[in-house]
Structure formats: structure tokens, C-alpha cells
């Protein structure tokens, strides 16, 4: 059983081209990355509740309280947010750890600065009638996003069942397209995350959960990556952005119903539909980050993920786990 982390990076031709563009932009000293202190910090996110504390921070004015101006830009597909970061259109982004590893391998100059969340029930393989176990996926059409959390979860589930991708018919779909494609009958099963899981299960189409990330402890964790030029030029602002996340987590602990409503609105869903999903997500505090990024996460979890990513071809070489992490912005 592998330890874990994640959420995104599609290795499509378009994404690869965007990565190359990002490298060219870095080499030319892209104007978008040379910002003065006080300028807007551009953060990429997605409609995933694990990133929801940023919506709370924005709603409650924690960014302003910390003296930073943060613009949240939401992307529906993993590849899009990753391409925007690689091309220098973002200063920081919420991604799966395997995406961060692939950035680093490709030469995109970013570092992991914070653990955001870990998921149990909020990432899952879902299916229609006739598929009730991972073994039942044999010979079936399974939709998932290449390079994303979905591929990691599917790979782990198949390996545990003594299977591989050769045993299924793969269909490449972004997470938001899995449920409607499954309901249309074009695929037999798919891998996605909340709020799309709840929407599919409540649609009355006979869709059920086959397995969740909770059955593979440690696999699904998201991280915040920041361009290294931003870390060098604006370190105090980066620290304050992370502190605003911590403020939001504390607020959520004290005012859970109010915070969950804000997060649900941020991801475009109804809070009632996400109750079980919220219960399946843990948001990391800065104190937890200081312990984990200076301990087990760096020493054990990230190296285990690197091994999985290499096995399924997300990365081809060795990535220095310790060198990928910059914990000095977490405060004391």
C-alpha cells in the first residue's frame, strides 16, 4: 500500500505545449512574474471543496486583514490551471502533489509550500448497474482524467485488485465530465471528486460508489505550489497568504455551518448535498504543516507518491522530495 497526496495534471499535447510555453516565459523574464510587493497575487483554483478555505478567507476578509490582495481564478480542468501556472499567468496554484512533482521534473520553477487537504470519501470511482466492485471493471469503459488524482486512485485500486489499465477500456475525461458521460451510458464507470460525486449519486440514475480514497489511506492530498521567483521577491506576502488560510481553517472549526455554506457556494453546489463529502475531507492547519513538511510527509509520503507516479508514467525520472518543499513560509 502506498502513502499519498494529489489532485492534478493531464499530460496531453496541449498541456505539454503549455509547459514548454511556461519555460520559455521564465527564460525571457516574463513581466507577469515580476510584480512589486502589494500587487495582486494571482491564485489558481478549481471547484473542489478541498480548496474551499480560500473562499472562506475571501468571504471573511482574512486576505485584507493580512494585508494581501489575492485574486482567485477558477479552472474546470486540471490541465488548464497547470498550464496557466506553467505559462506564468498565475503566481501560485492549488494542485495535486503529483502535478507539483511533474512541474519540477519538467523544469517549471515552483515549490510546494503548504499541504491543503486530504480526502477520504470525496474522491471515488462511481459506476452504473453491473459494476459493484473494482474487479467488475474488467473489460469496461472507465472514464478518468490522465495525470490527475483520478488516475492515481484508479491505478491504486486496480493494482490492489490484481489488475492494471490493460484490463479496462480507458476513456479520457475531465472530472466534471465523468458523471454526465456515465449517466448517458457512454461509459460504464468513472473516477471523479466532489461535488460531482454527490450530483451523480442523487440523480436517480442508479449510479453507486464502487470505492473511495478512504480505502487507500494517505493517497489523496492537495498542495499549494508557488513560483520560486514569487517566493524570492515577495516572501512576506506569501507568509500572509498562508496565514489567511490558517485563519479560515480556524473560522471553519468555530463556525462550521457558515463556512461550509461559503465553500459550497464557491464550488457551485448545495451545502446539503456535500455534507458527507465535507466529513471526508481534512483541512491542514499551519501547525500540522510545520510538523508534516518537516517530518513524515517529506520523508515517507512524498517519496511513496514519487514511486507510484513513476510506475504509471506520470514522471520518468527521480525527483528530490526534500528539495521540492519550502517549509520556511509556514511561520513558527
Amino acid at each position: 500500500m502506498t502513502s499519498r497526496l494529489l489532485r492534478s495534471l493531464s499530460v496531453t499535447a496541449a498541456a505539454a505545449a503549455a509547459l514548454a510555453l511556461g519555460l520559455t516565459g521564465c527564460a525571457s523574464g516574463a513581466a507577469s512574474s515580476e510584480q512589486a510587493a502589494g500587487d495582486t497575487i494571482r491564485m489558481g483554483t478549481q471547484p473542489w471543496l478541498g480548496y474551499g478555505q480560500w473562499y472562506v478567507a475571501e468571504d471573511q476578509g482574512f486576505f485584507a486583514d493580512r494585508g494581501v490582495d489575492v485574486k482567485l481564478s477558477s479552472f474546470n480542468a486540471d490541465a488548464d490551471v497547470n498550464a496557466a501556472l506553467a505559462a506564468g499567468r498565475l503566481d501560485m496554484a492549488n494542485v495535486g502533489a503529483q502535478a507539483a512533482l511533474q512541474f519540477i521534473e519538467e523544469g517549471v520553477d515552483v515549490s510546494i509550500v503548504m499541504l491543503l487537504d486530504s480526502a477520504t470519501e470525496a474522491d471515488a470511482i462511481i459506476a452504473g448497474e453491473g459494476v459493484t466492485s473494482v474487479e467488475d471493471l474488467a473489460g469496461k469503459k472507465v472514464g478518468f482524467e490522465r495525470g490527475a488524482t483520478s488516475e492515481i486512485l484508479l491505478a491504486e485500486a486496480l493494482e490492489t485488485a490484481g489488475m492494471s489499465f490493460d484490463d479496462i477500456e480507458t476513456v479520457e475525461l475531465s472530472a466534471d465530465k465523468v458523471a454526465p458521460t456515465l449517466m448517458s451510458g457512454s461509459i460504464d464507470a468513472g473516477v471523479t471528486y466532489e461535488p460531482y460525486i454527490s450530483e451523480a449519486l442523487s440523480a436517480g440514475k442508479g449510479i453507486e460508489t464502487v470505492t473511495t480514497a478512504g480505502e487507500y489511506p494517505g493517497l489523496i492530498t492537495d498542495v499549494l505550489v508557488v513560483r520560486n521567483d514569487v517566493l524570492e521577491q515577495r516572501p512576506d506576502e506569501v507568509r500572509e497568504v498562508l496565514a489567511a488560510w490558517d485563519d479560515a481553517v480556524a473560522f471553519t472549526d468555530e463556525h462550521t455551518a457558515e463556512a461550509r455554506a461559503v465553500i459550497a457556494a464557491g464550488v457551485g453546489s448545495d451545502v446539503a448535498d456535500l455534507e458527507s463529502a465535507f466529513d471526508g475531507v481534512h483541512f491542514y492547519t499551519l501547525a500540522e504543516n510545520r510538523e508534516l513538511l518537516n517530518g513524515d510527509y517529506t520523508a515517507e509520503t512524498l517519496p511513496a507518491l514519487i514511486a507510484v507516479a513513476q510506475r504509471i508514467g506520470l514522471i520518468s525520472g527521480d525527483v528530490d522530495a526534500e528539495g521540492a518543499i519550502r517549509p520556511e513560509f509556514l511561520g513558527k
Side-chain angles (χ1 to χ4, degrees):
M1 182 61 60
T2 58
S3 297
R4 79 198 280 166
L5 349 89
L6 350 177
R7 180 162 303 299
S8 44
L9 185 83
S10 274
V11 190
T12 62
L19 287 170
L21 176 61
L23 294 177
T24 302
C26 292
S28 63
S32 60
S33 66
E34 294 186 0
Q35 296 176 288
D39 285 351
T40 298
I41 293 175
R42 305 159 302 175
M43 180 190 294
T45 187
Q46 288 181 269
W48 155 239
L49 63 86
Y51 304 153
Q53 297 301 336
W54 299 124
Y55 298 118
V56 176
E58 184 178 56
D59 181 77
Q60 294 297 312
F62 295 143
F63 292 133
D65 292 345
R66 292 286 178 175
V68 290
D69 179 19
V70 178
K71 179 182 178 181
L72 303 179
S73 296
S74 186
F75 299 78
N76 284 330
D78 292 339
D80 293 339
V81 65
N82 298 332
L85 180 67
R89 298 193 300 272
L90 297 171
D91 301 307
M92 54 181 64
N94 301 270
V95 301
Q98 90 289 352
L101 296 174
Q102 193 162 8
F103 282 148
I104 292 166
E105 184 183 43
E106 293 288 342
V108 181
D109 200 19
V110 297
S111 295
I112 296 169
V113 299
M114 183 170 65
L115 289 172
L116 299 167
D117 66 274
S118 59
T120 54
E121 304 304 310
D123 287 78
I125 299 173
I126 58 176
E129 295 181 4
V131 178
T132 60
S133 68
V134 176
E135 288 80 2
D136 289 338
L137 295 176
K140 299 294 197 300
K141 293 181 180 180
V142 184
F144 64 96
E145 186 166 2
R146 287 285 186 185
T149 305
S150 298
E151 184 174 8
I152 297 291
L153 176 56
L154 181 57
E156 194 73 355
L158 290 172
E159 183 182 4
T160 301
M163 300 166 63
S164 72
F165 286 105
D166 291 337
D167 295 307
I168 64 174
E169 185 175 342
T170 62
V171 179
E172 294 191 27
L173 292 169
S174 60
D176 60 319
K177 298 295 192 299
V178 166
T181 306
L182 178 58
M183 287 187 281
S184 75
S186 297
I187 57 176
D188 303 295
V191 193
T192 188
Y193 51 81
E194 293 291 3
Y196 309 122
I197 295 170
S198 293
E199 292 172 2
L201 298 183
S202 63
K205 300 292 186 178
I207 296 172
E208 301 289 343
T209 298
V210 174
T211 189
T212 70
E215 298 184 42
Y216 311 95
L219 183 64
I220 308 300
T221 304
D222 297 303
V223 301
L224 181 70
V225 295
V226 183
R227 299 180 65 87
N228 285 326
D229 54 357
V230 176
L231 294 178
E232 298 306 321
Q233 296 166 13
R234 309 173 70 181
D236 292 339
E237 289 175 272
V238 172
R239 291 187 184 94
E240 296 302 335
V241 171
L242 304 194
W245 168 277
D246 207 44
D247 294 337
V249 174
F251 179 86
T252 299
D253 286 343
E254 295 180 10
H255 308 280
T256 303
E258 182 178 354
R260 286 185 173 186
V262 170
I263 294 171
V267 302
S269 189
D270 189 285
V271 67
D273 294 335
L274 293 177
E275 186 168 351
S276 61
F278 274 116
D279 292 339
V281 174
H282 175 74
F283 298 105
Y284 289 101
T285 66
L286 291 192
E288 290 173 316
N289 266 273
R290 286 189 286 270
E291 178 179 357
L292 291 168
L293 294 191
N294 290 294
D296 288 349
Y297 186 87
T298 303
E300 299 178 10
T301 306
L302 199 55
L305 174 64
I306 290 171
V308 175
Q310 289 171 332
R311 176 169 58 81
I312 64 175
L314 292 185
I315 58 176
S316 57
D318 292 327
V319 176
D320 176 16
E322 185 173 354
I325 295 174
R326 297 279 299 274
E328 64 265 32
F329 300 93
L330 295 168
K332 297 181 179 180

